[in-house]
mmCIF file of all heavy atoms in Angstrom:
data_model
loop_
_atom_site.group_PDB
_atom_site.id
_atom_site.type_symbol
_atom_site.label_atom_id
_atom_site.label_comp_id
_atom_site.label_asym_id
_atom_site.label_seq_id
_atom_site.Cartn_x
_atom_site.Cartn_y
_atom_site.Cartn_z
ATOM 1 N N GLN A 131 10.856 -11.133 -4.758
ATOM 2 C CA GLN A 131 12.107 -10.836 -5.359
ATOM 3 C C GLN A 131 12.002 -9.728 -6.394
ATOM 4 O O GLN A 131 12.884 -8.928 -6.561
ATOM 5 C CB GLN A 131 12.700 -12.106 -5.992
ATOM 6 C CG GLN A 131 13.191 -13.111 -5.007
ATOM 7 C CD GLN A 131 13.690 -14.361 -5.713
ATOM 8 O OE1 GLN A 131 13.082 -14.887 -6.620
ATOM 9 N NE2 GLN A 131 14.805 -14.871 -5.231
ATOM 10 N N GLU A 132 10.949 -9.785 -7.171
ATOM 11 C CA GLU A 132 10.715 -8.767 -8.104
ATOM 12 C C GLU A 132 9.818 -7.737 -7.430
ATOM 13 O O GLU A 132 8.947 -8.083 -6.628
ATOM 14 C CB GLU A 132 10.022 -9.324 -9.368
ATOM 15 C CG GLU A 132 10.935 -10.315 -10.076
ATOM 16 C CD GLU A 132 10.197 -11.265 -11.007
ATOM 17 O OE1 GLU A 132 8.988 -11.131 -11.167
ATOM 18 O OE2 GLU A 132 10.870 -12.158 -11.528
ATOM 19 N N TYR A 133 9.987 -6.482 -7.703
ATOM 20 C CA TYR A 133 9.426 -5.460 -6.908
ATOM 21 C C TYR A 133 7.907 -5.471 -6.917
ATOM 22 O O TYR A 133 7.252 -5.240 -5.897
ATOM 23 C CB TYR A 133 9.936 -4.077 -7.286
ATOM 24 C CG TYR A 133 11.433 -4.040 -7.347
ATOM 25 C CD1 TYR A 133 12.119 -3.748 -8.494
ATOM 26 C CD2 TYR A 133 12.180 -4.346 -6.203
ATOM 27 C CE1 TYR A 133 13.510 -3.750 -8.507
ATOM 28 C CE2 TYR A 133 13.543 -4.385 -6.222
ATOM 29 C CZ TYR A 133 14.203 -4.076 -7.392
ATOM 30 O OH TYR A 133 15.573 -4.079 -7.425
ATOM 31 N N ASN A 134 7.281 -5.772 -8.063
ATOM 32 C CA ASN A 134 5.856 -5.873 -8.137
ATOM 33 C C ASN A 134 5.158 -4.595 -7.645
ATOM 34 O O ASN A 134 4.079 -4.703 -7.015
ATOM 35 C CB ASN A 134 5.290 -7.086 -7.468
ATOM 36 C CG ASN A 134 5.677 -8.350 -8.158
ATOM 37 O OD1 ASN A 134 5.840 -8.340 -9.361
ATOM 38 N ND2 ASN A 134 5.853 -9.445 -7.452
ATOM 39 N N LEU A 135 5.740 -3.457 -7.801
ATOM 40 C CA LEU A 135 5.098 -2.222 -7.395
ATOM 41 C C LEU A 135 4.159 -1.781 -8.526
ATOM 42 O O LEU A 135 4.365 -2.079 -9.700
ATOM 43 C CB LEU A 135 6.143 -1.112 -7.179
ATOM 44 C CG LEU A 135 7.120 -1.370 -6.018
ATOM 45 C CD1 LEU A 135 8.186 -0.299 -5.987
ATOM 46 C CD2 LEU A 135 6.388 -1.448 -4.727
ATOM 47 N N PHE A 136 3.087 -1.093 -8.143
ATOM 48 C CA PHE A 136 2.208 -0.560 -9.123
ATOM 49 C C PHE A 136 2.840 0.665 -9.727
ATOM 50 O O PHE A 136 3.070 1.662 -8.992
ATOM 51 C CB PHE A 136 0.831 -0.275 -8.507
ATOM 52 C CG PHE A 136 0.136 -1.498 -7.999
ATOM 53 C CD1 PHE A 136 0.105 -1.748 -6.673
ATOM 54 C CD2 PHE A 136 -0.482 -2.381 -8.910
ATOM 55 C CE1 PHE A 136 -0.550 -2.919 -6.181
ATOM 56 C CE2 PHE A 136 -1.122 -3.531 -8.443
ATOM 57 C CZ PHE A 136 -1.156 -3.799 -7.082
ATOM 58 N N ALA A 137 3.064 0.692 -11.032
ATOM 59 C CA ALA A 137 3.800 1.780 -11.643
ATOM 60 C C ALA A 137 2.966 3.064 -11.619
ATOM 61 O O ALA A 137 3.547 4.145 -11.677
ATOM 62 C CB ALA A 137 4.117 1.367 -13.113
ATOM 63 N N ASN A 138 1.661 2.957 -11.523
ATOM 64 C CA ASN A 138 0.812 4.139 -11.565
ATOM 65 C C ASN A 138 0.546 4.674 -10.118
ATOM 66 O O ASN A 138 -0.293 5.535 -9.971
ATOM 67 C CB ASN A 138 -0.508 3.807 -12.279
ATOM 68 C CG ASN A 138 -1.332 2.756 -11.545
ATOM 69 O OD1 ASN A 138 -0.751 1.902 -10.879
ATOM 70 N ND2 ASN A 138 -2.626 2.799 -11.666
ATOM 71 N N MET A 139 1.246 4.103 -9.128
ATOM 72 C CA MET A 139 1.046 4.540 -7.756
ATOM 73 C C MET A 139 2.331 5.039 -7.148
ATOM 74 O O MET A 139 3.417 4.487 -7.448
ATOM 75 C CB MET A 139 0.520 3.374 -6.915
ATOM 76 C CG MET A 139 -0.879 2.886 -7.356
ATOM 77 S SD MET A 139 -1.342 1.331 -6.595
ATOM 78 C CE MET A 139 -1.987 1.916 -5.061
ATOM 79 N N THR A 140 2.250 6.022 -6.267
ATOM 80 C CA THR A 140 3.449 6.526 -5.600
ATOM 81 C C THR A 140 3.934 5.503 -4.576
ATOM 82 O O THR A 140 3.229 4.497 -4.292
ATOM 83 C CB THR A 140 3.140 7.827 -4.851
ATOM 84 O OG1 THR A 140 2.188 7.539 -3.844
ATOM 85 C CG2 THR A 140 2.595 8.899 -5.791
ATOM 86 N N ALA A 141 5.096 5.741 -4.012
ATOM 87 C CA ALA A 141 5.656 4.859 -2.977
ATOM 88 C C ALA A 141 4.648 4.750 -1.792
ATOM 89 O O ALA A 141 4.342 3.634 -1.343
ATOM 90 C CB ALA A 141 6.977 5.363 -2.499
ATOM 91 N N LEU A 142 4.122 5.841 -1.409
ATOM 92 C CA LEU A 142 3.140 5.908 -0.320
ATOM 93 C C LEU A 142 1.925 5.079 -0.675
ATOM 94 O O LEU A 142 1.442 4.268 0.120
ATOM 95 C CB LEU A 142 2.766 7.325 0.056
ATOM 96 C CG LEU A 142 1.770 7.451 1.231
ATOM 97 C CD1 LEU A 142 2.372 6.910 2.506
ATOM 98 C CD2 LEU A 142 1.368 8.911 1.397
ATOM 99 N N GLU A 143 1.421 5.253 -1.888
ATOM 100 C CA GLU A 143 0.210 4.516 -2.291
ATOM 101 C C GLU A 143 0.491 2.987 -2.417
ATOM 102 O O GLU A 143 -0.364 2.181 -2.074
ATOM 103 C CB GLU A 143 -0.295 5.033 -3.632
ATOM 104 C CG GLU A 143 -0.889 6.442 -3.530
ATOM 105 C CD GLU A 143 -1.086 7.119 -4.898
ATOM 106 O OE1 GLU A 143 -0.353 6.781 -5.862
ATOM 107 O OE2 GLU A 143 -1.959 7.996 -4.952
ATOM 108 N N ASN A 144 1.690 2.624 -2.859
ATOM 109 C CA ASN A 144 2.040 1.215 -2.921
ATOM 110 C C ASN A 144 2.042 0.575 -1.538
ATOM 111 O O ASN A 144 1.551 -0.523 -1.375
ATOM 112 C CB ASN A 144 3.400 1.059 -3.612
ATOM 113 C CG ASN A 144 3.273 0.813 -5.112
ATOM 114 O OD1 ASN A 144 2.905 -0.273 -5.536
ATOM 115 N ND2 ASN A 144 3.577 1.855 -5.888
ATOM 116 N N VAL A 145 2.618 1.283 -0.579
ATOM 117 C CA VAL A 145 2.646 0.720 0.788
ATOM 118 C C VAL A 145 1.250 0.721 1.402
ATOM 119 O O VAL A 145 0.890 -0.208 2.080
ATOM 120 C CB VAL A 145 3.657 1.511 1.638
ATOM 121 C CG1 VAL A 145 3.675 1.012 3.096
ATOM 122 C CG2 VAL A 145 5.088 1.460 1.089
ATOM 123 N N THR A 146 0.535 1.770 1.147
ATOM 124 C CA THR A 146 -0.844 1.885 1.731
ATOM 125 C C THR A 146 -1.761 0.825 1.179
ATOM 126 O O THR A 146 -2.617 0.286 1.928
ATOM 127 C CB THR A 146 -1.429 3.288 1.419
ATOM 128 O OG1 THR A 146 -0.559 4.265 1.968
ATOM 129 C CG2 THR A 146 -2.802 3.492 2.010
ATOM 130 N N SER A 147 -1.690 0.485 -0.096
ATOM 131 C CA SER A 147 -2.654 -0.423 -0.719
ATOM 132 C C SER A 147 -2.758 -1.787 -0.033
ATOM 133 O O SER A 147 -3.839 -2.311 0.124
ATOM 134 C CB SER A 147 -2.396 -0.584 -2.214
ATOM 135 O OG SER A 147 -1.157 -1.239 -2.375
ATOM 136 N N GLY A 148 -1.628 -2.313 0.376
ATOM 137 C CA GLY A 148 -1.627 -3.646 1.074
ATOM 138 C C GLY A 148 -2.364 -3.568 2.396
ATOM 139 O O GLY A 148 -3.086 -4.513 2.735
ATOM 140 N N LEU A 149 -2.216 -2.476 3.106
ATOM 141 C CA LEU A 149 -2.892 -2.324 4.382
ATOM 142 C C LEU A 149 -4.408 -2.210 4.184
ATOM 143 O O LEU A 149 -5.181 -2.779 4.972
ATOM 144 C CB LEU A 149 -2.359 -1.073 5.097
ATOM 145 C CG LEU A 149 -0.919 -1.111 5.524
ATOM 146 C CD1 LEU A 149 -0.421 0.251 5.953
ATOM 147 C CD2 LEU A 149 -0.701 -2.117 6.625
ATOM 148 N N VAL A 150 -4.794 -1.488 3.168
ATOM 149 C CA VAL A 150 -6.230 -1.269 2.925
ATOM 150 C C VAL A 150 -6.881 -2.565 2.367
ATOM 151 O O VAL A 150 -7.912 -2.976 2.852
ATOM 152 C CB VAL A 150 -6.436 -0.116 1.950
ATOM 153 C CG1 VAL A 150 -7.904 -0.018 1.523
ATOM 154 C CG2 VAL A 150 -5.989 1.217 2.541
ATOM 155 N N ILE A 151 -6.259 -3.180 1.391
ATOM 156 C CA ILE A 151 -6.825 -4.330 0.760
ATOM 157 C C ILE A 151 -6.744 -5.583 1.612
ATOM 158 O O ILE A 151 -7.737 -6.267 1.804
ATOM 159 C CB ILE A 151 -6.193 -4.565 -0.640
ATOM 160 C CG1 ILE A 151 -6.467 -3.382 -1.532
ATOM 161 C CG2 ILE A 151 -6.641 -5.880 -1.261
ATOM 162 C CD1 ILE A 151 -5.616 -3.351 -2.807
ATOM 163 N N SER A 152 -5.561 -5.915 2.101
ATOM 164 C CA SER A 152 -5.375 -7.163 2.838
ATOM 165 C C SER A 152 -5.716 -7.094 4.320
ATOM 166 O O SER A 152 -6.333 -8.034 4.875
ATOM 167 C CB SER A 152 -3.910 -7.624 2.749
ATOM 168 O OG SER A 152 -3.598 -7.912 1.391
ATOM 169 N N ARG A 153 -5.353 -6.021 4.927
ATOM 170 C CA ARG A 153 -5.565 -5.885 6.380
ATOM 171 C C ARG A 153 -6.814 -5.103 6.767
ATOM 172 O O ARG A 153 -7.135 -4.963 7.894
ATOM 173 C CB ARG A 153 -4.335 -5.248 7.021
ATOM 174 C CG ARG A 153 -3.003 -5.944 6.737
ATOM 175 C CD ARG A 153 -2.673 -6.936 7.800
ATOM 176 N NE ARG A 153 -1.571 -7.760 7.459
ATOM 177 C CZ ARG A 153 -0.387 -7.729 8.025
ATOM 178 N NH1 ARG A 153 -0.156 -6.852 8.977
ATOM 179 N NH2 ARG A 153 0.575 -8.559 7.648
ATOM 180 N N LYS A 154 -7.498 -4.561 5.768
ATOM 181 C CA LYS A 154 -8.783 -3.806 5.932
ATOM 182 C C LYS A 154 -8.627 -2.621 6.875
ATOM 183 O O LYS A 154 -9.551 -2.294 7.616
ATOM 184 C CB LYS A 154 -9.892 -4.786 6.503
ATOM 185 C CG LYS A 154 -10.084 -6.067 5.726
ATOM 186 C CD LYS A 154 -10.617 -5.741 4.334
ATOM 187 C CE LYS A 154 -10.875 -7.059 3.558
ATOM 188 N NZ LYS A 154 -10.571 -7.011 2.185
ATOM 189 N N VAL A 155 -7.488 -1.953 6.807
ATOM 190 C CA VAL A 155 -7.227 -0.730 7.576
ATOM 191 C C VAL A 155 -7.872 0.413 6.792
ATOM 192 O O VAL A 155 -7.758 0.465 5.598
ATOM 193 C CB VAL A 155 -5.718 -0.501 7.752
ATOM 194 C CG1 VAL A 155 -5.439 0.812 8.469
ATOM 195 C CG2 VAL A 155 -5.102 -1.681 8.495
ATOM 196 N N ASN A 156 -8.548 1.356 7.495
ATOM 197 C CA ASN A 156 -9.142 2.473 6.764
ATOM 198 C C ASN A 156 -8.032 3.287 6.128
ATOM 199 O O ASN A 156 -6.912 3.325 6.592
ATOM 200 C CB ASN A 156 -10.078 3.307 7.650
ATOM 201 C CG ASN A 156 -9.327 4.204 8.605
ATOM 202 O OD1 ASN A 156 -8.521 5.013 8.251
ATOM 203 N ND2 ASN A 156 -9.607 4.029 9.908
ATOM 204 N N LYS A 157 -8.377 4.003 5.056
ATOM 205 C CA LYS A 157 -7.376 4.690 4.249
ATOM 206 C C LYS A 157 -6.537 5.696 4.967
ATOM 207 O O LYS A 157 -5.298 5.782 4.764
ATOM 208 C CB LYS A 157 -8.065 5.331 2.973
ATOM 209 C CG LYS A 157 -8.493 4.340 1.970
ATOM 210 C CD LYS A 157 -9.143 4.986 0.744
ATOM 211 C CE LYS A 157 -9.587 3.932 -0.233
ATOM 212 N NZ LYS A 157 -10.151 4.541 -1.440
ATOM 213 N N ALA A 158 -7.162 6.478 5.815
ATOM 214 C CA ALA A 158 -6.443 7.513 6.572
ATOM 215 C C ALA A 158 -5.406 6.889 7.539
ATOM 216 O O ALA A 158 -4.250 7.329 7.592
ATOM 217 C CB ALA A 158 -7.388 8.401 7.354
ATOM 218 N N GLU A 159 -5.824 5.842 8.277
ATOM 219 C CA GLU A 159 -4.901 5.182 9.177
ATOM 220 C C GLU A 159 -3.831 4.468 8.373
ATOM 221 O O GLU A 159 -2.636 4.488 8.772
ATOM 222 C CB GLU A 159 -5.671 4.158 10.025
ATOM 223 C CG GLU A 159 -4.813 3.403 11.024
ATOM 224 C CD GLU A 159 -4.131 4.259 12.112
ATOM 225 O OE1 GLU A 159 -4.580 5.391 12.298
ATOM 226 O OE2 GLU A 159 -3.196 3.771 12.752
ATOM 227 N N ALA A 160 -4.186 3.825 7.242
ATOM 228 C CA ALA A 160 -3.209 3.140 6.424
ATOM 229 C C ALA A 160 -2.129 4.110 5.890
ATOM 230 O O ALA A 160 -0.958 3.810 5.877
ATOM 231 C CB ALA A 160 -3.929 2.429 5.259
ATOM 232 N N ALA A 161 -2.561 5.296 5.460
ATOM 233 C CA ALA A 161 -1.591 6.299 4.956
ATOM 234 C C ALA A 161 -0.678 6.758 6.058
ATOM 235 O O ALA A 161 0.560 6.907 5.836
ATOM 236 C CB ALA A 161 -2.383 7.462 4.374
ATOM 237 N N LYS A 162 -1.180 6.870 7.276
ATOM 238 C CA LYS A 162 -0.348 7.273 8.445
ATOM 239 C C LYS A 162 0.675 6.168 8.716
ATOM 240 O O LYS A 162 1.867 6.442 8.901
ATOM 241 C CB LYS A 162 -1.231 7.502 9.635
ATOM 242 C CG LYS A 162 -0.481 7.864 10.894
ATOM 243 C CD LYS A 162 -1.429 8.082 12.087
ATOM 244 C CE LYS A 162 -0.654 8.318 13.347
ATOM 245 N NZ LYS A 162 -0.839 7.362 14.339
ATOM 246 N N LEU A 163 0.228 4.897 8.767
ATOM 247 C CA LEU A 163 1.124 3.761 9.030
ATOM 248 C C LEU A 163 2.151 3.616 7.897
ATOM 249 O O LEU A 163 3.347 3.360 8.146
ATOM 250 C CB LEU A 163 0.334 2.496 9.183
ATOM 251 C CG LEU A 163 -0.571 2.366 10.428
ATOM 252 C CD1 LEU A 163 -1.483 1.179 10.341
ATOM 253 C CD2 LEU A 163 0.253 2.338 11.675
ATOM 254 N N ALA A 164 1.727 3.806 6.660
ATOM 255 C CA ALA A 164 2.596 3.674 5.527
ATOM 256 C C ALA A 164 3.683 4.777 5.554
ATOM 257 O O ALA A 164 4.870 4.465 5.304
ATOM 258 C CB ALA A 164 1.822 3.725 4.228
#
């Protein structure tokens, strides 16, 4: 309900981080998916 976005990260980085950390997607593929 609360956005819980990382203030020091861009929109792309916020979306990418979950893929990299939780789903273990490599950074380049995560950035593309994000």
Side-chain angles (χ1 to χ4, degrees):
Q131 286 178 316
E132 296 161 5
Y133 309 120
N134 292 330
L135 296 174
F136 296 104
N138 62 331
M139 297 169 83
T140 65
L142 181 63
E143 291 167 333
N144 267 286
V145 177
T146 301
S147 66
L149 295 168
V150 172
I151 295 166
S152 297
R153 303 268 170 110
K154 308 295 184 216
V155 176
N156 75 57
K157 287 182 182 182
E159 180 66 15
K162 178 180 175 245
L163 292 170

